[in-house]
Amino acid sequence: MANRAKATIFDIAREAGVSKSTVSLVLQGSGLIRPETASKVRKAIEDVGYVYNRGAANLRKAHSNVIGMVINDLTNPFFAELAVGMERVFQSAGIVPFIANTAENPVRQEEVLKSLMEQGVAGLIVSPARGTTPGAFRRIETAGLPVVFAMRRLPESRIPVIAPDNHRGAYLATAHLIGKGHRRLVFFGGSSDLVVYHERLGGFREACETQGIAARDALVVEGETSRRGGIGCLETALAMAEPPTAALCFNDAVAFGAMLALRKRGLEPGVDFAIVGFDDVAEAEHYMPALTSVAVDSAGLGERAAHVMLKMIQSRTTRAEDHIGAVNLVVRESCGPDRRTRNRTAGSGSMN
Amino acid sequence: MANRAKATIFDIAREAGVSKSTVSLVLQGSGLIRPETASKVRKAIEDVGYVYNRGAANLRKAHSNVIGMVINDLTNPFFAELAVGMERVFQSAGIVPFIANTAENPVRQEEVLKSLMEQGVAGLIVSPARGTTPGAFRRIETAGLPVVFAMRRLPESRIPVIAPDNHRGAYLATAHLIGKGHRRLVFFGGSSDLVVYHERLGGFREACETQGIAARDALVVEGETSRRGGIGCLETALAMAEPPTAALCFNDAVAFGAMLALRKRGLEPGVDFAIVGFDDVAEAEHYMPALTSVAVDSAGLGERAAHVMLKMIQSRTTRAEDHIGAVNLVVRESCGPDRRTRNRTAGSGSMN
DNA sequence: TTGATTTATTGGAACGTTCCATTTAGTAGC
DNA sequence: GCTACTAAATGGAACGTTCCAATAAATCAA
């Protein structure tokens, strides 16, 4: 049975026959205490079942050792990996990060941020929810709390960002498709309230432009960033008068959806229609056919974000440089050459 | 620029021309304060950019509003869904749960639990890491902190458990396979340090026994509980002198791995070899072929766990009843009838 | 008007820790 | 034996809140 009142350093002090200050010193691992006294105290701590009250300590210390991680969608393995990467580095710094999920809901995000601040976190790593208002972080900024954004950025904000090179990733992927002979391409999924969307779409467009694809052959179908969204996009695309032959998808989930929809129609992804994903989640490698995708190293970005945060805390600053992570295209089986284009090219290849 | 020192209720009091006690009352939404005074105070709160210090408050209040959620593997969507289910109910109770990941590492788990306790959580929902020692929760129990286990239980522990009916799920799935004509079955994946493993394996064995499968035809191949583990299991099984024709997999990840390995060998899951998964993660439905699996409703179990926790906190008890969630077999395309058995049965069907 | 009652507000102590300034004990130098 | 110093341990104030008991102001009953 638990003692009614929880033990405090006073109880330990009494038990060990020293003063509360001595106990406090031992707790902090101070070298000022004679080793035998220290071990006497430690024994007492064990005996009374003491648990340290960090809240009380922070009242004096002014800097906690907890860091908040705010994730917009934990069920997306992509973000979960990001979280795991961060945890790895915090762990070795003796910090336990607390993760909170916003489920892509700005209102929930507000609550979560408030709660984390009240808890006295030392810093915040945030992957902001879609639809976050520009002012959502003002309070936190004026409080002087270090914040870094991961994966996503807000339209106008001075908060440092750790994110993959979305533009370049999309460019690479699109160039790959064009190189395979595709001449009518589409960008699947996402919506314009996300900065990431504009970055990836920008890369797609630039690749089309510089590689001689006319603007009217660079299509865009917006949609949910989920499997379901991918299914919808594909159906929209194939219903067009002159359908595209290859798609760059906003993310892997959309790509999986699109491949699924192809199969449903009796078309084989990779041979009848080319698909490239984005993010390269673990599943991409194991899919049938294996998905060609832009790898962004989310765990690595998580680690990077954690390092930046640690540095900010240590140097008591609220500013840091952005970090744009390298990406690379992992070519697998989901995009072969365009058949129709090849035929067309055979007949009229010398005209362009 | 942030004010050097952070604002306290005293600052608000000065700003609003009232006493600190009044401010405190307003903060707590007490009805004792005259509405106009309250709004004057609220304005001051806004003006000075105040953030509530929950640590200081808890020093007096003795019960915090934070609940810790300790998850053994966040990258497994199954556990992520569990977390999301819990969050849903805590949110509507005005509580922000903090999630921490143990990455299936008992040492890490120890750190995480310690940190959460120091933070003064009101309760803990834990999906314990594999290899957790029986004594790992003793300190927490003697501290009188409410704990509930989710999904997994510890061998000998009085802590309430919220988990699916693993035995019955495995029984149903196995019976399904037997009903399809399979006469030589295998259980894939998992290892005996997990209580869940024994439960599921028990259901498998009972089904075999009661439906007339000889013990020597109910095989077991242990392995990692991942895609990779599934690949290994399948290869082991097919290398046997008399290979099985159907497998019940420890979880869906193992099942995906097994299906992958089948494909690699040119065998078609569902027609050449039957596979049933366990957990029914979102992906199961979208796989090719769609995976027959035992649905456990992890989000629902998460909600249940959260409710139990809330009730425990409210009634200041540390005990509660276990809750075994209903399961049901979702039949999809990954297990057709056994071809070989059917032939054999045709010849000697009347003998049994 | 007076006392009783209600309503709104307030000051002080307490919560469990850290940090600073002291005190105490022990050692060294002379 | 005295001072000077170091090492080890200590008491008190402070951190930002809540809660209780107390006060002040307003209303009511007589």
Side-chain angles (χ1 to χ4, degrees):
Chain A
M1 198 88 313
N3 289 340
R4 193 76 226 106
K6 35 186 69 170
T8 74
I9 51 172
F10 284 91
D11 300 308
I12 299 170
R14 185 162 9 87
E15 184 84 3
V18 298
S19 79
K20 62 162 182 33
S21 302
T22 304
V23 177
S24 175
L25 259 0
V26 172
L27 248 18
Q28 297 171 80
S30 160
L32 292 178
I33 305 295
R34 198 154 39 105
E36 31 182 323
T37 309
S39 61
K40 199 170 52 181
V41 170
R42 267 189 279 271
K43 172 158 188 331
I45 289 177
E46 207 56 44
D47 288 349
V48 303
Y50 169 76
V51 355
Y52 183 72
N53 185 335
R54 201 170 287 278
N58 286 342
L59 217 44
R60 288 284 309 184
K61 288 212 295 193
H63 61 280
S64 72
N65 76 147
V66 354
I67 288 185
M69 246 154 82
V70 180
I71 300 287
N72 59 295
D73 181 9
L74 257 191
T75 61
N76 184 337
F78 174 61
F79 292 105
E81 278 174 34
L82 177 76
V84 168
M86 296 186 204
E87 273 196 317
R88 215 165 15 227
V89 356
F90 284 133
Q91 175 172 21
S92 54
I95 288 180
V96 175
F98 290 143
I99 306 171
N101 186 30
T102 61
E104 208 72 279
N105 174 353
V107 176
R108 177 65 172 160
Q109 177 172 266
E110 202 86 27
E111 293 171 6
V112 160
L113 290 174
K114 178 151 168 275
S115 182
L116 250 7
M117 292 213 63
E118 290 180 357
Q119 220 57 233
V121 295
L124 245 21
I125 297 181
V126 184
S127 168
R130 179 179 311 188
T132 299
T133 63
F137 288 86
R138 193 157 30 211
R139 300 194 59 135
I140 298 178
E141 284 182 275
T142 65
L145 195 67
V147 182
V148 352
F149 284 151
M151 305 323 278
R152 296 176 170 185
R153 72 177 72 231
L154 251 38
E156 45 191 31
S157 155
R158 330 212 65 197
I159 292 175
V161 179
I162 314 296
D165 192 340
N166 289 308
H167 187 98
R168 182 168 163 73
Y171 184 98
L172 287 176
T174 309
H176 176 71
L177 288 173
I178 297 170
K180 286 281 189 179
H182 295 276
R183 289 294 172 268
R184 192 161 166 83
L185 314 179
V186 61
F187 187 90
F188 272 173
S191 56
S192 54
D193 57 348
L194 228 42
V195 175
V196 174
Y197 175 78
H198 293 288
E199 294 173 348
R200 294 187 179 175
L201 183 57
F204 172 75
R205 287 219 165 105
E206 187 188 324
C208 287
E209 252 173 59
T210 61
Q211 321 253 325
I213 303 294
R216 63 177 169 77
D217 288 326
L219 312 168
V220 174
V221 178
E222 287 198 15
E224 276 181 60
T225 60
S226 62
R227 240 177 261 255
R228 183 144 35 104
I231 295 172
C233 287
L234 188 104
E235 279 162 5
T236 305
L238 291 196
M240 290 173 170
E242 199 179 342
T245 64
L248 169 60
C249 299
F250 175 79
N251 67 15
D252 286 348
V254 170
F256 293 139
M259 296 209 288
L260 208 65
L262 284 169
R263 276 267 171 73
K264 284 252 164 67
R265 289 175 162 250
L267 298 173
E268 180 64 18
V271 350
D272 299 313
F273 192 101
I275 298 277
V276 189
F278 213 112
D279 293 349
D280 194 33
V281 301
E283 200 180 335
E285 183 184 350
H286 296 302
Y287 220 78
M288 287 288 176
L291 178 67
T292 293
S293 187
V294 179
V296 302
D297 185 22
S298 47
L301 288 171
E303 291 182 18
R304 180 49 140 242
H307 275 126
V308 170
M309 172 54 62
L310 250 20
K311 195 145 288 170
M312 286 170 83
I313 290 175
Q314 191 192 334
S315 60
R316 354 186 90 70
T317 174
T318 177
R319 306 290 297 275
E321 301 212 324
D322 288 1
H323 180 270
I324 304 303
V327 296
N328 71 301
L329 184 71
V330 180
V331 177
R332 298 203 183 91
E333 306 155 9
S334 66
C335 43
D338 175 27
R339 295 158 154 190
R340 275 167 295 179
T341 304
R342 206 192 294 145
N343 295 345
R344 202 198 304 157
T345 307
S348 61
S350 57
M351 284 187 65
N352 287 350
Chain B
M1 195 92 309
N3 290 340
R4 194 75 226 105
K6 34 187 70 172
T8 75
I9 51 171
F10 283 92
D11 300 308
I12 299 169
R14 185 164 8 87
E15 185 84 3
V18 298
S19 79
K20 62 163 184 31
S21 302
T22 303
V23 177
S24 176
L25 258 1
V26 171
L27 248 18
Q28 297 171 78
S30 161
L32 292 178
I33 304 296
R34 197 153 41 107
E36 34 181 321
T37 309
S39 62
K40 198 170 55 180
V41 170
R42 267 189 279 273
K43 175 162 186 328
I45 289 177
E46 207 57 44
D47 288 350
V48 303
Y50 170 75
V51 355
Y52 184 71
N53 184 334
R54 203 170 286 279
N58 287 341
L59 216 43
R60 288 281 311 182
K61 289 212 293 190
H63 59 281
S64 71
N65 76 147
V66 353
I67 289 186
M69 243 155 83
V70 179
I71 300 287
N72 58 293
D73 181 8
L74 256 191
T75 62
N76 184 335
F78 174 62
F79 291 105
E81 277 172 36
L82 177 76
V84 167
M86 295 187 207
E87 274 194 318
R88 214 165 14 226
V89 356
F90 284 134
Q91 175 172 19
S92 53
I95 288 180
V96 176
F98 290 142
I99 306 170
N101 185 29
T102 61
E104 207 74 277
N105 175 353
V107 177
R108 177 64 172 160
Q109 179 173 267
E110 203 86 29
E111 293 171 6
V112 160
L113 290 175
K114 178 153 169 277
S115 183
L116 251 6
M117 292 212 63
E118 290 180 357
Q119 220 59 233
V121 294
L124 245 20
I125 297 181
V126 184
S127 168
R130 183 178 308 190
T132 299
T133 63
F137 288 86
R138 193 159 29 215
R139 298 193 61 133
I140 296 178
E141 284 181 275
T142 66
L145 196 67
V147 182
V148 350
F149 284 150
M151 304 325 268
R152 295 177 171 184
R153 72 179 70 230
L154 250 39
E156 44 191 35
S157 156
R158 331 212 65 196
I159 292 174
V161 179
I162 313 297
D165 192 341
N166 289 309
H167 187 96
R168 181 168 164 74
Y171 184 97
L172 287 176
T174 310
H176 176 72
L177 289 173
I178 297 172
K180 287 280 190 181
H182 295 276
R183 289 294 172 268
R184 194 163 164 83
L185 314 178
V186 61
F187 186 90
F188 272 172
S191 56
S192 54
D193 58 348
L194 229 42
V195 176
V196 174
Y197 175 78
H198 295 287
E199 293 173 348
R200 295 186 179 176
L201 184 57
F204 172 75
R205 287 218 165 108
E206 188 188 322
C208 288
E209 252 172 60
T210 61
Q211 321 252 328
I213 303 294
R216 64 178 168 75
D217 287 325
L219 312 168
V220 174
V221 178
E222 286 197 17
E224 277 180 60
T225 60
S226 62
R227 242 176 260 254
R228 183 144 36 104
I231 295 172
C233 286
L234 188 104
E235 278 161 4
T236 306
L238 291 195
M240 289 173 172
E242 199 179 341
T245 64
L248 170 60
C249 299
F250 176 79
N251 66 14
D252 287 346
V254 170
F256 294 138
M259 296 209 288
L260 208 65
L262 283 168
R263 277 267 171 73
K264 284 253 165 68
R265 288 174 164 250
L267 298 173
E268 181 63 18
V271 352
D272 298 314
F273 193 103
I275 299 276
V276 189
F278 212 113
D279 293 348
D280 193 34
V281 301
E283 201 180 333
E285 183 184 351
H286 296 301
Y287 221 77
M288 286 288 178
L291 178 65
T292 293
S293 187
V294 178
V296 302
D297 184 22
S298 46
L301 288 171
E303 291 182 18
R304 181 47 142 244
H307 276 127
V308 170
M309 172 55 62
L310 287 177
K311 195 146 288 172
M312 287 170 84
I313 290 176
Q314 192 193 333
S315 61
R316 352 186 91 72
T317 175
T318 178
R319 306 290 297 277
E321 301 214 326
D322 288 2
H323 181 269
I324 304 305
V327 297
N328 71 301
L329 182 70
V330 179
V331 178
R332 298 202 184 89
E333 304 155 10
S334 67
C335 43
D338 175 27
R339 295 160 154 189
R340 276 167 294 178
T341 303
R342 205 192 296 145
N343 296 344
R344 204 198 300 157
T345 306
S348 61
S350 56
M351 281 187 67
N352 286 351

